[in-house]
Amino acid sequence: MTEATQATLAEMLIVACAEAWRGDGEVLATGIGTVPRIAAGLAKLTHTPELMMTDGEAYLVEEPAPLGERASGFAGYMPYSRVFDLLWRGQRHAMVTPVQVDRWGQCNISVIGEFAKPKVQMLGVRGFPGNSINHANSMFLPNHGPRVLVEGEVDLVGSVGYKEERWPPGVKRDFVDLRQVITNLCIMDFNGPAKALRVISLHPGVSFDAVQAATGFPLVQAEELATTPLPSAEQLEIIARLDPGNWRSYVIKDNPPALREAA
């Protein structure tokens, strides 16, 4: 691949999110939100063509639908009920966008504050409990900060994580499959000691100390800490095709000087 001459933070994050699906094989890739949705399409069109994707309505597609446009060339029928058939068998990898995440990977999409009298009320837990038990999940957090990566537990635990006290005695948690956490500062996984969040890649111009200062709990630093790569020219062309309205720029508006210099 040829190196990109110019890229935005949003485009770099799309490429980073796409890597979360690398090598997954024939599973349903579900990107929830603008950046994860584009990233799932990029993953299918580049390194993992076996991924299954829907048009967001009722069909499987081989060519991911651009944002704001209807798909064409349907490859199969995939109504809502069949999504659950795959979900319950573990044949899905979703990238979710929670409003709070804690050190154990537990997520909140329901309320901020006390449940009985919340400061902010959101979606409710919806299908998050069952989804997090049955299939792999990664996370995209566009605003890395201590209000998102919180000290202690999230305000409402809406998905399973690695906190031992939340599980009945003797229950193994091997089936919990939390993959990567991609933020506007770094990329993390849960491969630290005792499933601790571990920083594996820093975005250009970002230090580990800056990431730790923006996190409400201690992080682990990978022994070989990478720098998040910039998109290639080919990847940028695909991203532009998948997002012709440039919606990505409304989700991620900041483009740090260090990234512009690196590009």
Side-chain angles (χ1 to χ4, degrees), residues 16 19-20 93 101-105 137-139 141 144 149 162 177-183 186-202 208 211 215 217-226:
E19 285 296 312
H93 180 182
V101 182
D102 59 33
R103 70 186 67 198
W104 303 281
N137 287 275
S138 292
M139 305 167 200
L141 307 176
H144 190 136
L149 290 148
Y162 297 114
D177 191 0
L178 301 179
R179 300 281 180 87
Q180 290 195 349
V181 180
I182 296 94
T183 82
C186 67
I187 303 172
M188 300 177 283
D189 63 20
F190 288 90
N191 292 328
K195 297 292 185 180
L197 258 179
R198 181 182 67 157
V199 179
I200 59 175
S201 182
L202 295 169
F208 178 82
V211 173
T215 307
F217 51 85
L219 294 169
V220 175
Q221 180 175 322
E223 290 185 8
E224 297 182 6
L225 195 56

Side-chain angles (χ1 to χ4, degrees), residues 114-150:
E114 294 291 333
F115 179 74
K117 192 176 181 181
K119 297 176 182 177
V120 180
Q121 184 171 337
M122 294 168 291
L123 295 173
V125 296
R126 298 181 67 84
F128 219 171
N131 294 352
S132 57
I133 287 174
N134 284 293
H135 65 70
N137 287 275
S138 292
M139 305 167 200
F140 173 62
L141 307 176
N143 295 300
H144 190 136
R147 295 175 64 182
V148 178
L149 290 148
V150 299

Side-chain angles (χ1 to χ4, degrees), residues 21-175:
W21 282 286
R22 181 180 286 274
D24 272 3
E26 194 172 310
V27 302
L28 184 64
T30 303
I32 300 174
T34 300
V35 167
R37 165 75 183 273
I38 301 168
L42 178 64
K44 181 172 178 61
L45 292 174
T46 53
H47 52 70
T48 310
E50 312 97 306
L51 288 173
M52 296 183 291
M53 291 192 67
T54 73
D55 64 342
E57 295 183 44
Y59 294 94
L60 287 168
V61 293
E62 290 300 329
E63 183 71 23
L67 295 184
E69 300 180 14
R70 300 199 69 175
S72 59
F74 302 126
Y77 187 46
M78 179 61 74
Y80 201 44
S81 61
R82 292 192 179 181
V83 172
F84 283 98
D85 291 340
L86 292 177
L87 185 158
W88 289 327
R89 293 204 300 262
Q91 293 178 290
R92 182 167 85 153
H93 180 182
M95 183 167 290
V96 297
T97 53
V99 296
Q100 289 182 331
V101 182
D102 59 33
R103 70 186 67 198
W104 303 281
Q106 299 172 144
C107 297
N108 175 22
I109 58 172
S110 186
V111 297
I112 300 297
E114 294 291 333
F115 179 74
K117 192 176 181 181
K119 297 176 182 177
V120 180
Q121 184 171 337
M122 294 168 291
L123 295 173
V125 296
R126 298 181 67 84
F128 219 171
N131 294 352
S132 57
I133 287 174
N134 284 293
H135 65 70
N137 287 275
S138 292
M139 305 167 200
F140 173 62
L141 307 176
N143 295 300
H144 190 136
R147 295 175 64 182
V148 178
L149 290 148
V150 299
E151 181 181 5
E153 278 195 320
V154 295
D155 290 347
L156 189 144
V157 177
S159 66
V160 301
Y162 297 114
K163 187 176 183 180
E164 185 175 355
E165 293 83 356
R166 281 281 177 181
W167 293 88
V171 173
K172 293 184 178 181
R173 300 179 298 282
D174 297 345
F175 57 84

Side-chain angles (χ1 to χ4, degrees), residues 238-258:
I238 294 172
I239 290 169
R241 179 154 43 97
L242 292 174
D243 181 25
N246 196 26
W247 291 6
R248 59 195 180 276
S249 67
Y250 295 96
V251 179
I252 304 292
K253 297 180 181 180
D254 184 28
N255 197 28

